[in-house]
Structure formats: structure tokens, C-alpha cells
Amino acid sequence: MIKIIVLIFVCSLITILGFIISNQYKKRIIIFKDLSKFCSICENKIKLNKISIKEIIDENKEIFSKEFIDIAYNYYILGNEEYNSNILNFEEEKMVKDFFSSIGKMDLDTEINNMCAYKKNMECKLKYLLDNKASGQLGAKLGILLSLIVFIVFI
């Protein structure tokens, strides 16, 4: 009886781990959607109102995900070079760090061109993530499959 309870517990943990991995992929998609949206907002606000990037982040907190706000505050507002998101992979982390380290430091025209270029990069990354969404859902499927295999083998 205890063996079955432990087995069910282990299988549940494996399944939960699979869903956590799948959820991380969804969060990556959300972050890149927010980054693209942020570039569009910045481009418009900088052209029309000439307000700072920090003000843009502060006044638009409610339209962005918690993960994006956390990244924006750590990289841009706090300037925390040591911060690493637990959601993004190394390549994406570098892309986001480079983006936040480059904005708000140039003249108006260069800043707008910079935002357009980064927006294209963010949209390309987003398209890649969306095109490979099936691989993001693979974590949940593998978690379920692995837990079933473990359950069958040990029963």
C-alpha cells in the first residue's frame, strides 16, 4: 500500500515538472510579445511626447506581464547586471540585456531607429517561439508519458 502511495507521489511530481517546463515556454512567448509591444509603445511615446523610458515602463505596468516588468526593472531601472531571468535561455537573456542596456542613451532619431531594429529582432524571436510551440508543449506531454511509464514499470 505504501509502495503505491509513493509511486503515485513520484508520478505526480514527474507530471508537475513536465507542466512547469511547458509553462516556462509559454512565459517566454509572453515576454517576447511584451518586448515587441514595449518597443512599439516606446517608439510612439518618444516621437510624440519625448518622455523617458522609465516613465514609459512606470505608466504602462498594467498592460505588461509580471515577468516583463521584473526584467525591465532589473535590467533597465536598477541596472542590475547580475540579474538572470529563470525563464529565458542564455541567448534570449543576452538579447534582452543588450536591448535594455542600449535604450535611452541616444539622440531621438537614433533611439527611434534602435527601437525599430530591436522590435524586428523581438518579433523574429517571437515568430520562432510561436512556430515551435509544439516543442514547448512537449514538456507536459513527456511528463505525463514518463509518469505513466514509471507507474506501469513499478506496479
Side-chain angles (χ1 to χ4, degrees):
M1 182 67 178
I2 292 178
K3 180 181 174 183
I4 292 176
I5 292 172
V6 171
L7 189 58
I8 290 172
F9 179 73
V10 169
C11 290
S12 297
L13 286 178
I14 293 170
T15 303
I16 289 170
L17 181 63
F19 279 101
I20 288 171
I21 292 169
S22 180
N23 193 36
Q24 292 294 90
Y25 195 85
K26 290 176 188 173
K27 286 181 181 179
R28 286 171 55 203
I29 290 172
I30 290 169
I31 287 171
F32 279 97
K33 281 182 182 176
D34 284 350
L35 281 165
S36 178
K37 189 185 328 176
F38 177 72
C39 287
S40 295
I41 291 170
C42 284
E43 186 181 344
N44 291 331
K45 296 271 185 176
I46 290 170
K47 274 184 196 174
L48 301 174
N49 303 335
K50 297 180 181 155
I51 63 174
S52 73
I53 303 294
K54 182 184 182 308
E55 290 174 315
I56 294 170
I57 293 170
D58 286 337
E59 72 182 32
N60 291 291
K61 279 184 194 176
E62 60 281 343
I63 66 170
F64 296 118
S65 66
K66 176 193 166 300
E67 291 81 11
F68 172 80
I69 295 297
D70 188 43
I71 289 170
Y73 265 86
N74 276 288
Y75 287 145
Y76 185 75
I77 295 173
L78 300 177
N80 186 356
E81 291 291 323
E82 303 300 316
Y83 176 78
N84 285 315
S85 167
N86 60 353
I87 298 169
L88 302 174
N89 65 31
F90 180 77
E91 172 196 326
E92 295 165 350
E93 191 85 35
K94 184 174 178 351
M95 178 190 289
V96 172
K97 279 182 183 179
D98 290 345
F99 169 68
F100 280 111
S101 67
S102 72
I103 59 175
K105 297 179 178 156
M106 299 168 224
D107 66 278
L108 183 64
D109 292 331
T110 309
E111 191 72 42
I112 291 168
N113 291 336
N114 189 34
M115 282 293 170
C116 289
Y118 271 108
K119 182 180 176 187
K120 286 179 185 173
N121 288 345
M122 301 302 172
E123 287 173 347
C124 285
K125 185 64 181 180
L126 178 61
K127 183 179 180 330
Y128 172 80
L129 290 171
L130 290 172
D131 288 347
N132 294 303
K133 198 172 185 177
S135 66
Q137 297 168 343
L138 192 60
K141 292 174 184 174
L142 284 176
I144 292 169
L145 182 64
L146 187 59
S147 66
L148 286 173
I149 291 171
V150 168
F151 191 77
I152 290 169
V153 167
F154 287 106
I155 236 175

